[in-house]
Structures are given as C-alpha cells and as structure tokens.
Amino acid sequence: MRRLQRLFRISWVFCRYRLDILLPLTELPLGLRLLFLFAPWHLFPQPKLERGERLRVALQELGPIFVKFGQILSTRRDLLPDDMAEPLRNLQDRVPPFPGEQAQAIIEKSLKAPVGELFAAFEQAPMASASVAQVHSAILHNGKAVVVKVVRPGIERTIRQDIALMYFMAHSLQRYWSEGPRLRPVEVVEDYENTIYDELDMQREAANASQLRRNFENSGLIYIPSIDWDYTSKKVMVMERIGGIPVANVTALRAAGVDMKVLAEKGVEIFFTQVFRDSFFHADMHPGNIFVDASNPADPKYIAIDFGIVGTLAPEDQSYLARNLLAFFRRDYRQVAELHIQSGWVPAHTRVNEFEAAIRTVCEPIFERPLRDISFGQFLLRLFQTARRFEMEVQPQLVLLQKTLLNVEGLGRQLYPDLDLWSTAQPFLEKWMRKRIGPAHLFQTLQTHLPAWLEQSPDMPQLVHDALVQIRSTNPIIARNVDTLDEMRALQARSDRRWRQVLVAGILVAGAWLGTRDDLLALAGQTPAHSWVLGALAAWLLLRSTR
C-alpha cells in the first residue's frame, strides 16, 4: 500500500510538471506510445519554467532521496544536456529535523547507555539536519566538545521504496531508449544505491574519516576531525567539533584577511593529492561540507566534514587519467585518442584518426582562450559528449571523480575568479608520473610483489594446466581450438619422429653398403655380417616411418 501511495505521488508530480516531454516517446513500443499520448497529464498546462528547472523543482518536491539522485545526475553530462544538468546542480538537501527526543532514544539504544552517562552535556535541539542524518552538539566527560550524528529514523524504508521505483524507470529506459545500453541507467541507479546505503552506516563514515585523517596527518592543506570510536555505532557517530568560517562565506573570509589565491590553489592541490597520491578522495566536497581555518590568514587551511561518500581509483585508471590530462596539456590529441582506446573507454574498432580529429575540434577553440577562462570540469564534460559519438561507455568509477572535480573547480573560482587550475595541476601530474615510472616506484613494486611471485612460482605449471582444462570444459569453441592445436602438435611430433627414423635408416643403409667393400672391412676389422645387421635395422626403421 505504501509503495502504491508513493507511486501515485510520483505520478502526480510527473503530471504536474509535464515531465513526459523528457521521455523518448518515438522510441517506445506502439502500445506505450498510445498510452502516453492519451495520458491524463495532457490536461495539465505546461509550466512556464524551462525543462531543466521543471525537473529540478519536481525532484525537490519528491524529497531528499530524489534530490540526492538529481545531484548525481547533474554531473552526468553524457546523460543530460547542459540546460537540464545545470539547474540540477542547484538542488538543495532541505529536510525538516526530527524531534530531539527521538535522536536521544536512538543514541541510547545504539550505545546501550543513557545520554547522561555518555555525555556531560547533550543538546536535544539539532545543529543541522539533512536527508540521511542530523547533528547534535555535546560535551564528553573529559571536557572535549563533540558533535553527535544520528541516522534519521525510518529512512531505510523510504530509500527501499524510492530505489525500487528508480530501478523500474531505469530498466524501462535501458530497454526502450536507443542510448540506454551505452549509458547504462541501471548501473547509475546501482551506484546511487550503494552510495546512499553507505551513507546510512556511521561506522563506515567514521572509518572514511579516520583514513583521510591519516592521509593528511600534520598537513598544512586540510584538517580532518578525529573520531571517538568508543561512542560510534552503525547509527551514531561522535566526532570532534571543529570551528571555522564556512567556505561559501566569501565576505567573512575577506574580512579575516585570508589570501584567497592561496586558498583556491590549496583546494586544487588537495583534490589531486587525494586522487593520485592516495587514490582515496572525499567525494562530497560541496560548500556545506567545507570550512576554513583562518588563524593564519596568509596560509589558510581547509577543514572537511561529512565523509559518507568517498571515491577510489584503480592504479590503471589513475595512470590513464594522468596520461590523458598531460596529453591535453601538450595538445597531443592523438595520444588522447589512443589512450581512450587502450583503456577500453571507447571500443577497440574506433578509428584513431577520426577520434583524434573530433577531439581536436572540441579542444582547439577552448585552448585559444586565456587559461583562467577555461573551466577544467566543463572541458572534460565537452570531451565526454564528443566521445559519445564514438560509443564511449560510461565509466562508473569516474562519475564520482567528475562530480568532485566540478565541485572543487567551482569552489576555487568562487574564492578566486582568476584561478588557473591548469597551471596548478600540470606540475603535480608531471611529478606524479615521474615518481610512478622512476626507480623508486619500480623497487617498491618489486618489494611488494616479489615474495608472492616467488611463493607462487612452483605452482605455475599446474595452474596453467588447470586453466587450459577449465577453458576446454567451459567454452566449446575454445575447447575445439585447443583440441585442434593438440592434434597439430601431435602430428608435428609424429612427422619429426619419421624424419629422424628416415635419416637414421639412410645412415644405416650407407653403413651397410660400405660394409660390402672388402678393403674397408679389413681396415675396420669387421665381418660382412655387420653389413647385414645394419641393413636389417635400416629396413625396420623405414617400415616404422610409414605407419
């Protein structure tokens, strides 16, 4: 019944904002096309808002789960055109708080102790409220000021209902939309499902925070608050309370005398350090999660909170991404095209020359402008849109990275409009690549993997044999090829044996003929009988070679 009510609510919002015009109606089966043509939403007048604004307002009205989904969609310029994606970037996660008594009950149940025993002071009125959790201030008995993050009650049920409906819509798009198989909307929903459920686990968020804190320990770039693990569970997290100026409050930052150029460049350095040095990055770096420590205005430091969403990259993706970016800096478009094909981001049958020409067409007009006027994130989005012509498949592992890059660059330009992200990024990437291919990295790789290689080496022959047996048993075509190869090898071996036997027989015949000459027999001290033995052996070998 609840799911039906939710479906009715979504349908009502769909009708009210005439979102039917966003559907690929011409690609639907005839029955569905007729259903949409005679659907009741045609009775609603079309709102005067543009289609992107309509989608944004509709998602806002459907609640926090759809708001978060819209925020992720805003980074998917391969999936949405600019006029629809840009308004989605302005989606705000505005949710009324739930009662403080409920939060206190969740804390006491999760930590198995009364709030009075856990904290010297606890504020029932929340400091902030979001879709997944809300935050209360507290003081530990040792006097340490902390914040207590509590998962919103009943949110799991709401998420399950909305995710199920999202899957239904994604499967429909993937089945009926011609672009569906390439853009993989079902995978988009799967990624979002993993992300939103990860945010529900406070222990996971605490672990993310601890990892980031360890990565930037004693760093002058960013400060990560400490976690109080004794007061953390699946639904409750207690973290050090921080103080700072919200990064979006540019007026306050200027009043504090903060060097905005240094602050903006540090933000870029933090992003590239996380992605390429650590392969572990804060993937929700919107202004609400970032503060600034302005105690030293000439050398300000960032402070980050909210670690529910993090991203990682495999070493292969790191390498391809860095090499792609450096090739762009050098305007080596052919290498960019080749790297896209080598990495599997575009199909192997793609013609390099055509892809290179398409990339050049997009990039050259951009690079002719001053670097400070070039948006790094928008540039990558344009490139992905161009690659769409060449069947470039969506790379789920890069979606969070792309979103984070857009946030970082937007934030940097807000702080310092003349930010040149390119000149900040290029030296960092060149240094990273030199380290990656240098002797130190090679030695480190050998040091890491050599013991395992030596341990596994005695098992390699058996593993190869087992793999061939498995291939033969599981894949009929490969099995036939393996059988054919075995037969050819056996035939070649038999042929080699025959030639050897014929050669030996020839030598024996020659020996038997020489044995008929009396002068040679006398010289060797042999009798004529030896020549008959040699002849018999030669005849036997010749007979064997004909089998």
Side-chain angles (χ1 to χ4, degrees):
M1 182 59 68
R2 286 197 187 95
R3 188 169 292 183
L4 285 173
Q5 289 173 346
R6 184 63 173 157
L7 184 59
F8 179 78
R9 171 69 177 157
I10 292 172
S11 302
W12 170 260
V13 173
F14 189 92
C15 295
R16 182 180 175 188
Y17 293 101
R18 290 301 307 275
L19 299 183
D20 57 295
I21 64 169
L22 307 181
L23 297 173
L25 296 178
T26 56
E27 300 182 26
L28 296 177
L30 180 60
L32 283 176
R33 231 181 305 163
L34 292 173
L35 175 64
F36 277 104
L37 286 173
F38 295 104
W41 50 68
H42 291 285
L43 302 175
F44 289 79
Q46 283 202 27
K48 294 181 180 179
L49 296 172
E50 296 294 330
R51 61 178 186 172
E53 282 297 323
R54 261 186 278 173
L55 180 59
R56 181 188 68 79
V57 175
L59 291 174
Q60 192 86 51
E61 195 167 316
L62 287 173
I65 309 305
F66 279 86
V67 165
K68 280 187 169 292
F69 188 61
Q71 289 170 341
I72 290 179
L73 282 180
S74 69
T75 66
R76 294 293 305 276
R77 302 304 174 92
D78 56 333
L79 192 59
L80 295 177
D82 289 346
D83 68 310
M84 292 177 65
E86 280 299 326
L88 295 186
R89 293 186 65 189
N90 299 320
L91 280 167
Q92 298 297 319
D93 192 3
R94 297 192 187 96
V95 181
F98 57 91
E101 294 80 5
Q102 266 188 295
Q104 182 171 327
I106 294 170
I107 293 168
E108 292 178 343
K109 182 178 179 182
S110 297
L111 301 182
K112 298 180 174 57
V115 163
E117 288 184 16
L118 297 167
F119 308 106
F122 176 80
E123 290 290 336
Q124 282 198 347
M127 297 173 60
S129 179
S131 56
V132 169
Q134 73 181 28
V135 177
H136 297 257
S137 65
I139 298 176
L140 297 179
H141 288 291
N142 61 9
K144 181 181 178 182
V146 295
V147 293
V148 185
K149 190 171 183 179
V150 186
V151 173
R152 183 174 288 272
I155 188 66
E156 295 95 336
R157 184 175 64 248
T158 304
I159 289 174
R160 279 197 301 271
Q161 291 173 359
D162 286 354
I163 289 289
L165 295 171
M166 286 179 186
Y167 269 120
F168 171 74
M169 291 184 278
H171 280 293
S172 300
L173 281 174
Q174 191 149 318
R175 180 175 180 183
Y176 296 117
W177 188 21
S178 59
E179 289 288 310
R182 185 185 69 83
L183 296 175
R184 301 184 282 186
V186 175
E187 283 194 23
V188 176
V189 177
E190 286 175 354
D191 288 338
Y192 174 61
E193 182 182 23
N194 293 333
T195 299
I196 195 73
Y197 277 119
D198 286 349
E199 284 196 79
L200 293 179
D201 189 345
M202 292 294 102
Q203 286 180 317
R204 188 184 188 97
E205 179 174 346
N208 293 340
S210 293
Q211 178 70 55
L212 284 168
R213 181 178 172 85
R214 189 160 55 251
N215 291 346
F216 286 96
E217 195 168 8
N218 301 320
S219 169
L221 296 173
I222 189 170
Y223 180 78
I224 308 297
S226 61
I227 300 295
D228 286 283
W229 282 101
D230 291 338
Y231 304 95
T232 296
S233 68
K234 191 173 180 63
K235 292 193 174 183
V236 176
M237 180 180 73
V238 175
M239 182 176 68
E240 172 191 1
R241 185 171 181 176
I242 53 93
I245 302 172
V247 75
N249 193 346
V250 177
T251 304
L253 291 171
R254 293 189 188 281
V258 170
D259 188 326
M260 305 301 271
K261 181 176 184 292
V262 170
L263 186 63
E265 289 176 348
K266 278 191 172 186
V268 177
E269 187 178 349
I270 288 168
F271 170 76
F272 282 99
T273 301
Q274 289 182 96
V275 171
F276 291 103
R277 188 195 70 183
D278 305 330
S279 187
F280 187 85
F281 58 94
H282 191 311
D284 200 14
M285 294 184 72
H286 64 75
N289 290 337
I290 307 295
F291 296 83
V292 177
D293 176 2
S295 56
N296 182 359
D299 188 25
K301 182 189 290 190
Y302 286 94
I303 305 170
I305 61 170
D306 197 348
F307 311 99
I309 306 175
V310 296
T312 59
L313 285 180
E316 298 80 13
D317 288 322
Q318 279 182 309
S319 177
Y320 277 119
L321 188 62
R323 290 162 65 192
N324 262 296
L325 294 175
L326 288 172
F328 277 124
F329 294 142
R330 296 191 299 266
R331 301 196 193 188
D332 187 350
Y333 305 125
R334 185 168 189 87
Q335 187 181 10
V336 174
E338 290 172 346
L339 285 168
H340 273 68
I341 294 170
Q342 291 170 15
S343 65
W345 295 352
V346 295
H349 60 73
T350 302
R351 297 182 64 177
V352 177
N353 291 340
E354 290 183 7
F355 193 27
E356 177 190 0
I359 295 171
R360 183 182 296 108
T361 302
V362 170
C363 295
E364 279 303 311
I366 295 175
F367 282 125
E368 290 304 315
R369 298 157 57 191
L371 285 176
R372 68 174 180 269
D373 295 337
I374 300 173
S375 167
F376 199 40
Q378 294 295 331
F379 163 70
L380 288 180
L381 295 176
R382 296 290 180 204
L383 178 68
F384 289 152
Q385 288 173 339
T386 300
R388 179 177 180 175
R389 284 176 42 209
F390 295 86
E391 304 174 43
M392 177 175 173
E393 291 191 354
V394 175
Q395 304 300 317
Q397 74 276 22
L398 299 182
V399 171
L400 279 177
L401 180 73
Q402 181 183 324
K403 170 196 169 189
T404 306
L405 178 57
L406 285 170
N407 284 338
V408 167
E409 186 178 34
L411 184 62
R413 291 276 166 88
Q414 182 182 352
L415 295 171
Y416 184 68
D418 290 335
L419 173 67
D420 182 356
L421 188 143
W422 302 78
S423 63
T424 307
Q426 186 172 359
F428 184 94
L429 290 172
E430 288 175 343
K431 182 180 177 182
W432 182 81
M433 284 300 295
R434 283 196 300 270
K435 281 186 177 179
R436 186 174 178 84
I437 61 177
H441 184 267
L442 178 61
F443 178 75
Q444 184 181 359
T445 302
L446 287 173
Q447 193 176 31
T448 303
H449 297 291
L450 190 58
W453 292 341
L454 292 174
E455 184 180 355
Q456 294 167 3
S457 58
D459 301 327
M460 288 306 295
Q462 184 63 41
L463 290 172
V464 171
H465 175 268
D466 293 345
L468 290 173
V469 170
Q470 188 174 7
I471 289 172
R472 179 178 292 173
S473 62
T474 55
N475 192 320
I477 296 175
I478 296 177
R480 284 199 296 272
N481 292 339
V482 171
D483 289 341
T484 303
L485 185 61
D486 289 344
E487 290 174 5
M488 291 175 65
R489 285 173 177 163
L491 184 63
Q492 182 66 40
R494 287 198 297 272
S495 177
D496 290 344
R497 284 197 302 272
R498 287 170 183 165
W499 278 110
R500 286 196 297 270
Q501 290 168 354
V502 169
L503 180 62
V504 173
I507 294 172
L508 292 175
V509 168
W513 174 75
L514 291 173
T516 60
R517 295 184 55 179
D518 295 336
D519 54 338
L520 292 175
L521 285 173
L523 186 63
Q526 302 293 329
T527 64
H530 288 95
S531 63
W532 289 106
V533 172
L534 293 175
L537 285 172
W540 179 74
L541 286 173
L542 288 172
L543 284 173
R544 276 184 59 86
S545 67
T546 59
R547 292 179 185 176

